Amino acid sequence: MKHFTRLSDVKKPQKLLKNALKLKQDPLASQKLGKNKTILLLFFNPSLRTRISSEKAALNLGMSCIVYDASQGWKLEFEQGAVMNIDRAEHIREAAGVISQYADIIGIRTFPSLTDREKDYADAILYQFQEYASVPIVSLESATRHPLQSLADWMTIEEFRKKKKKPKVVLSWAPHPKALPQAVSNSFLEWMKVADVDLMVTNPEGYDLSPEFTAGIPIEHDQRKAFEGADFIYTKNWSSFEQYGQRLEVPEDWTITPDKMKLTDKAYFMHCLPVRRNVVVADKVIDSKRSLVLHQANNRTYAAQAVMQEILKSL
Ligand code: CP
């Protein structure tokens, strides 16, 4: 694997999943692999889980890790041919080239603008780094995808699924006071398509995700109907794709409640975190024994480690 930005970068996703689950059993097994190698984690947006789990993963592999918080004040120019006479002091072409001389792998977190759909869905920041850097790029969440989260979520589902049943996995929209990206949900669907699960999406009218990600997946606008018989309820808020980046009026209550969870087949509750309690999910659901949110967060380390391990082997 050269880069890790989306599912199609991975030749054998099932093998990557297996490796991640194996690493969880023995996280320090490949400590020599990363000796004298450095990963630089570049954050244009804040993070708790991704930042710390990626750093832990690098350390488990014996790599040095540099975290660069670029969320405050580092104004990069991304336009080609730009006349840089205003406030952007450095162009991506030099920045990516320079960082490539300091690091063997670059991880990048960047969020969408939620104002320009075409630009966001081109994921220009991530792919310009890929173009101008001379080392592998790992997405730490981009405008459109969050593949490290999806791999960790897949691990979690594999660990908790009933052995004799193909699980029904429902991605459910839930309310949120702010307009949020679609990246986690897009990516979850992308990865679940190669998992052995029955997948469904439920969201209010006007909140259908991009057809690029929902193609072939049933979309149910009645949340209660979607929950019937479900084994996993994966919850996430996202802003509208159709009316791009907007928060639309939703007349029904879409919060995940104990009442709704009773419609499922004793489903596990999943969320990538951070989560707004009693807005996205009721305390009684997230605090229940069927909540997997901490398992998902724990698996972030081993998902990142499996990806870094495969990239290190290719260097
Ligand atoms: N789930 C996730 O990516 O969390 P952070 O934003 O804290 O990294």
Side-chain angles (χ1 to χ4, degrees), residues 46-51 109 141 146 149 272-274 300:
S47 165
L48 173 69
R49 281 144 290 271
T50 308
R51 176 176 170 166
R109 162 163 289 197
E141 184 172 353
H146 195 352
Q149 180 68 52
C272 63
L273 303 180
R300 292 294 308 274

Side-chain angles (χ1 to χ4, degrees), residues 29-94:
S30 301
Q31 272 233 308
K32 287 186 184 151
L33 189 65
K35 193 168 184 284
N36 299 327
K37 300 283 187 232
T38 301
I39 186 166
L40 187 138
L41 307 178
L42 184 54
F43 286 88
F44 289 99
N45 302 91
S47 165
L48 173 69
R49 281 144 290 271
T50 308
R51 176 176 170 166
I52 298 171
S53 63
S54 300
E55 193 163 350
K56 179 95 192 284
L59 296 177
N60 283 351
L61 290 166
M63 253 196 297
S64 300
C65 180
I66 300 168
V67 178
Y68 183 37
D69 179 359
S71 62
Q72 309 286 334
W74 190 40
K75 290 193 173 158
L76 265 190
E77 179 60 67
F78 292 95
E79 297 299 327
Q80 300 308 321
V83 178
M84 293 170 57
N85 62 354
I86 307 179
D87 62 340
R88 295 178 187 269
E90 177 140 30
H91 200 280
I92 174 73
R93 296 178 85 120
E94 287 78 50

